[in-house]
Amino acid sequence: MIPVLRWILLPISLFYLLIVWTRNKLYDKGILKSKSFDVSTIIVGNLAIGGTGKSPMTEYLVRLLSSHYTLATLSRGYGRKTSGFRYVEMTSTAVEVGDEPLQFKNKFRKLTVAVCEDRCKGVEILKNNHQVILLDDAYQHRRLKPGFAILLFDFRSLFSTIITLPTGNFRDNFSASSRANLIVITKCPRRLSLEQQQQIEHQIRKHSDAPILYSNIEYNQLRNRDHLPVELDLSVYHILLLTGIANPKPLKEYLLDKVASVKQLTFPDHHNYSEADYIKINSAFQNLQGNRIIITTEKDIHRLHKDSLAALPVYYIPIQLDFIADKEIFDRKVLEYVSLTQSVNKH
């Protein structure tokens, strides 16, 4: 449901829609030029703002491909205070490279992780030493022509009014789904009805013939700030849920029936925590009664300064993408694309 006040901004949304539509048409007709590369390039993106599960999808692709090919991920590095091309190292900070690239590097230490706001420049630097480059959140980066495009839709976004910013949450025309090779509906309910699937597919089929697959989020074992798994009986704990992500609602819903209580402290997506924030966090934690811990997200753990919350019990819950069905179709399509481009590039 869109708040009434945002409907006041509808004229701006229509103007924004016209600009985006015109830009896409200029690229589609070749008036604005896109650059392709002789390396396998897979982009992961969405049409709406944030919260569709791009990071879990990128991690899924890393697991799928890294044992067969030399792999790199390339992101813009949202939230960083640097610019230009940078490799992400184990010693990097979220301020230098962004939280998501740092998460990738911590999870896959042998993986090449890089950030660059100019994706073409980034691919140019990476392409000679890598067979596959995964571009996180690059669907709207039309200057680069990808070899394979994976488009994500949050399940709930398809059952609300689809309209562009600032009235709605879409940053691109829905018709842009025509550029996707695979479409994945993320964060689906565990019991996805046939009627819901038909409604979604009716909507998407107006613009795209790409395979439509369904997935949800799987929550993994609790970990501490050193990324080590821990065993806790959450049912006896009062939780301060600390989030700086686009959509913390699914995590809260997951925790509600597993803990004694949840108090939520929410910050904007990719938020860089300040000393004032740490004071606020500490105060909120002290106001909890009984057994108490802080639970945050895997992205947030890389932005939280260890020293600032050293005296508090802080944990995070990793997540991963889990296909409801047809995982084999997804894997086969991706592997076929990469295998074909590797074969072509050898000749």
Side-chain angles (χ1 to χ4, degrees):
M1 182 71 69
I2 296 174
V4 174
L5 287 177
R6 291 180 68 175
W7 283 107
I8 298 173
L9 303 173
L10 183 59
I12 301 175
S13 289
L14 295 176
F15 182 64
Y16 176 88
L17 178 65
L18 177 62
I19 292 172
V20 172
W21 180 87
T22 302
R23 176 178 178 270
N24 281 330
K25 283 298 179 185
L26 291 174
Y27 273 109
D28 292 342
K29 294 184 178 297
I31 298 169
L32 292 178
K33 301 298 182 183
S34 298
K35 185 174 182 180
S36 57
F37 294 88
D38 57 350
V39 62
S40 300
T41 51
I42 301 176
I43 64 169
V44 176
N46 55 6
L47 301 186
I49 54 173
T52 54
K54 294 184 295 295
S55 294
M57 173 57 77
T58 302
E59 291 179 4
Y60 182 91
L61 290 167
V62 171
R63 292 186 181 97
L64 177 66
L65 297 167
S66 58
S67 61
H68 305 288
Y69 302 99
T70 53
L71 203 64
T73 66
L74 178 63
S75 310
R76 180 184 180 124
Y78 286 103
R80 67 179 175 135
K81 294 185 177 179
T82 59
S83 61
F85 181 91
R86 294 175 74 100
Y87 285 106
V88 180
E89 308 292 348
M90 292 299 298
T91 54
S92 300
T93 67
V95 172
E96 295 170 336
V97 298
D99 51 7
E100 289 163 342
L102 195 57
Q103 176 180 317
F104 297 154
K105 189 64 180 178
N106 274 273
K107 195 170 269 187
F108 308 102
R109 301 197 172 191
K110 294 182 180 179
L111 176 70
T112 299
V113 181
V115 294
C116 191
E117 58 271 27
D118 183 339
R119 306 304 206 286
C120 289
K121 177 182 176 182
V123 172
E124 195 67 52
I125 293 171
L126 294 167
K127 69 183 181 69
N128 291 331
N129 297 313
H130 300 89
Q131 295 169 296
V132 184
I133 300 173
L134 305 177
L135 295 110
D136 180 37
D137 199 14
Y139 202 82
Q140 283 75 35
H141 201 84
R142 297 295 306 272
R143 283 185 54 234
L144 183 143
K145 185 176 182 180
F148 198 87
I150 300 170
L151 179 61
L152 309 183
F153 285 104
D154 179 282
F155 173 82
R156 296 184 187 187
S157 72
L158 295 173
F159 291 90
S160 60
T161 305
I162 295 176
I163 191 167
T164 50
L165 297 163
T167 298
N169 292 322
F170 277 71
R171 56 180 173 174
D172 206 340
N173 298 12
F174 199 84
S175 60
S177 56
S178 63
R179 302 197 306 272
N181 297 96
L182 282 172
I183 294 174
V184 180
I185 314 303
T186 63
K187 302 183 180 179
C188 294
R190 292 285 171 181
R191 295 179 179 176
L192 183 66
S193 71
L194 180 60
E195 182 182 358
Q196 288 170 324
Q197 292 183 50
Q198 290 173 339
Q199 189 173 341
I200 288 170
E201 293 181 17
H202 175 74
Q203 199 168 27
I204 292 174
R205 286 290 172 248
K206 297 173 186 176
H207 306 287
S208 175
D209 293 324
I212 301 171
L213 308 173
Y214 298 88
S215 70
N216 48 37
I217 292 298
E218 181 177 314
Y219 293 92
N220 293 336
Q221 187 177 356
L222 202 69
R223 290 177 179 261
N224 61 24
R225 277 179 286 195
D226 294 320
H227 309 291
L228 299 174
V230 295
E231 294 281 354
L232 287 180
D233 179 6
L234 289 178
S235 66
V236 302
Y237 284 95
H238 299 273
I239 307 298
L240 175 62
L241 178 58
L242 173 61
T243 60
I245 59 174
N247 181 16
K249 188 174 181 180
L251 177 56
K252 183 178 181 180
E253 290 176 347
Y254 168 77
L255 286 171
L256 278 174
D257 63 350
K258 292 178 172 57
V259 301
S261 70
V262 177
K263 177 179 174 57
Q264 191 166 5
L265 199 54
T266 304
F267 293 89
D269 196 15
H270 302 289
H271 181 69
N272 286 313
Y273 293 94
S274 66
E275 286 307 313
D277 295 329
Y278 292 120
I279 293 171
K280 184 177 181 181
I281 293 165
N282 187 72
S283 176
F285 177 77
Q286 299 304 332
N287 286 333
L288 294 179
Q289 302 297 317
N291 295 325
R292 53 194 179 177
I293 60 172
I294 296 174
I295 291 182
T296 189
T297 71
E298 192 168 8
K299 286 205 297 184
D300 284 293
I301 203 70
H302 293 104
R303 281 183 271 119
L304 291 166
H305 298 154
K306 279 189 176 182
D307 294 343
S308 299
L309 297 176
L312 302 182
V314 180
Y315 303 91
Y316 72 93
I317 299 180
I319 62 173
Q320 67 183 52
L321 180 138
D322 182 30
F323 282 99
I324 293 173
D326 299 325
K327 171 184 176 296
E328 296 78 12
I329 294 175
F330 181 93
D331 292 0
R332 176 169 52 81
K333 291 285 185 182
V334 172
L335 291 169
E336 282 178 354
Y337 158 70
V338 176
S339 177
L340 179 62
T341 53
Q342 297 305 307
S343 176
V344 170
N345 290 340
K346 284 179 182 178
H347 299 87

